[in-house]
């Protein structure tokens, strides 16, 4: 049995320390930016070696729970939200978990015409679209700005059905009988424009993850386009696929 192995090799000390650090943060109501005890202090608190403490801290940094600022110490980080890139479901629907409160706020809801990019995406079949812009919050902290585009010919009067907390995917499925069958997504790291800085409350130096998404129906026709801007240090992106 090694120093970091307890209970017959089933649990590792650094994992118990990770749990202990999280409990310490909760009990002391530490917030993002708050400093946690030093490695030496944590060693005394958990009666563990510095090797085990460092391993626990490294794992928590990888999880996005902590961040290390060299020369200053270890601090509580914004816990990053995991986003599964291959999900077909709506962006905000895919965020919902029992540990997170996801809320949405409409910034703008209007009709637009003769948009060259939308015409190309929708194969020049439609001239008028609903543009829905919403902020998405995770536990009252801004997470992203979401732009969605819906052809009015496919979704007549959908603007009357959309509210702050509405699921556009549910409306599309339940009220219009559209079945989603395929999704295409593109990712890009982009700088923050003035508009994005304003809505996301960030500086121009904050990098953003842009996700563009086109969804097709069972006849392989594009029926939904969206792009959303994620604050990069608030998320971690995951890809998972079953092998044949």
């Amino acid at each position: 049995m090694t120093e970091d192995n307890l209970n017959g090799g089933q649990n590792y000390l650094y994992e118990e320390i990770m749990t202990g650090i999280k409990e310490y943060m909760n009990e002391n109501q530490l917030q993002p930016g708050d400093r946690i005890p030093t490695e030496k202090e944590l060693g005394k608190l958990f009666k563990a070696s510095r090797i085990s403490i460092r391993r626990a801290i490294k794992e928590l940094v990888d999880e996005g729970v902590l961040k290390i600022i060299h020369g200053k110490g270890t601090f509580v980080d914004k816990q990053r939200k995991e986003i599964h890139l291959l999900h077909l479901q709506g962006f905000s629907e895919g965020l919902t978990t029992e540990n997170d409160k996801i809320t949405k706020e409409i910034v703008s809801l209007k009709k637009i015409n003769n948009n060259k990019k939308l015409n190309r995406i929708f194969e020049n079949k439609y001239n008028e679209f609903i543009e829905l812009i919403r902020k998405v919050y995770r536990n009252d902290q801004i997470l992203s700005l979401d732009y969605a585009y819906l052809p009015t010919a496919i979704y007549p009067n959908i603007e009357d059905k959309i509210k702050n907390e509405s699921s556009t995917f549910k409306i599309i499925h339940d009220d219009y009988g559209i079945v989603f069958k395929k999704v295409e997504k593109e990712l890009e790291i982009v700088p923050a424009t003035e508009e994005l800085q304003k809505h996301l409350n960030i500086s121009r130096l904050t990098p953003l993850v842009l996700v563009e998404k086109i969804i097709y129906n069972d006849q392989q026709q594009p029926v939904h386009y969206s792009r959303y801007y994620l604050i990069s240090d608030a998320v971690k992106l995951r890809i998972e696929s079953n092998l044949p």
Side-chain angles (χ1 to χ4, degrees):
M1 182 180 299
T2 65
E3 180 183 19
D4 288 347
N5 194 317
L6 301 175
N7 302 329
Q10 298 302 309
N11 296 308
Y12 291 89
L13 183 56
Y14 77 84
E15 293 176 341
E16 295 182 353
I17 296 171
M18 288 172 63
T19 300
I21 291 174
K22 290 178 180 178
E23 290 175 350
Y24 175 91
M25 290 163 53
N26 289 332
E27 290 170 0
N28 290 274
Q29 299 181 344
L30 298 188
Q31 301 299 315
D34 289 345
R35 190 170 183 268
I36 70 166
T38 65
E39 289 182 1
K40 183 177 181 180
E41 291 168 338
L42 289 172
K44 291 181 179 179
L45 181 63
F46 296 109
K47 297 181 174 59
S49 69
R50 181 160 291 188
I51 292 175
S52 299
I53 297 295
R54 286 178 178 172
R55 175 69 184 276
I57 289 174
K58 179 183 181 302
E59 295 291 333
L60 291 174
V61 168
D62 290 344
E63 285 186 10
V65 175
L66 299 176
K67 64 179 177 181
I68 297 172
I69 300 179
H70 294 290
K72 293 186 177 181
T74 304
F75 299 82
V76 179
D77 199 2
K78 296 177 182 177
Q79 191 164 359
R80 296 172 183 248
K81 179 64 181 175
E82 184 175 277
I83 297 176
H84 194 331
L85 292 178
L86 297 185
H87 276 168
L88 185 59
Q89 64 195 128
F91 167 58
S92 57
E93 287 83 355
L95 295 176
T96 305
T97 69
E98 63 181 12
N99 297 319
D100 289 320
K101 181 180 74 171
I102 303 299
T103 54
K104 295 168 280 189
E105 174 191 349
I106 294 175
V107 174
S108 174
L109 179 62
K110 65 183 180 181
K111 291 180 180 179
I112 62 173
N113 302 89
N114 300 319
N115 182 290
K116 290 183 179 180
K117 181 171 184 176
L118 294 178
N119 291 339
R120 175 178 55 79
I121 290 170
F122 288 96
E123 302 169 352
N124 294 307
K125 292 182 178 179
Y126 313 106
N127 295 318
E128 185 179 69
F129 304 87
I130 293 296
E131 178 189 66
L132 169 64
I133 306 175
R134 288 196 289 196
K135 294 180 183 180
V136 179
Y137 296 84
R138 177 196 180 204
N139 301 329
D140 300 322
Q141 297 294 316
I142 186 70
L143 181 68
S144 75
L145 189 66
D146 184 4
Y147 294 73
Y149 297 90
L150 305 159
T152 57
I154 301 178
Y155 311 106
N157 302 315
I158 192 171
E159 66 272 22
D160 297 330
K161 303 174 186 292
I162 297 174
K163 310 300 178 186
N164 272 336
E165 297 303 324
S166 296
S167 164
T168 53
F169 272 41
K170 190 174 189 302
I171 293 172
I172 288 170
H173 180 270
D174 294 351
D175 293 12
Y176 297 93
I178 303 293
V179 177
F180 295 152
K181 285 296 184 180
K182 187 179 81 169
V183 61
E184 293 178 355
K185 292 184 181 180
E186 292 184 359
L187 277 74
E188 184 180 0
I189 304 298
V190 297
T193 63
E194 289 187 6
E195 179 181 5
L196 294 170
Q197 292 172 46
K198 173 186 173 183
H199 288 304
L200 295 172
N201 192 28
I202 56 176
S203 77
R204 63 183 180 83
L205 300 177
T206 302
L208 300 173
V209 180
L210 166 61
V211 181
E212 292 193 83
K213 177 174 65 179
I214 304 174
I215 296 181
Y216 299 82
N217 63 10
D218 51 359
Q219 297 177 339
Q220 299 300 305
Q221 297 172 332
V223 293
H224 180 281
Y225 166 71
S226 67
R227 68 178 191 271
Y228 47 93
Y229 297 86
L230 301 160
I231 299 175
S232 59
D233 65 358
V235 298
K236 57 180 177 179
L237 307 177
R238 181 167 67 94
I239 296 176
E240 180 180 315
S241 179
N242 294 325
L243 296 176

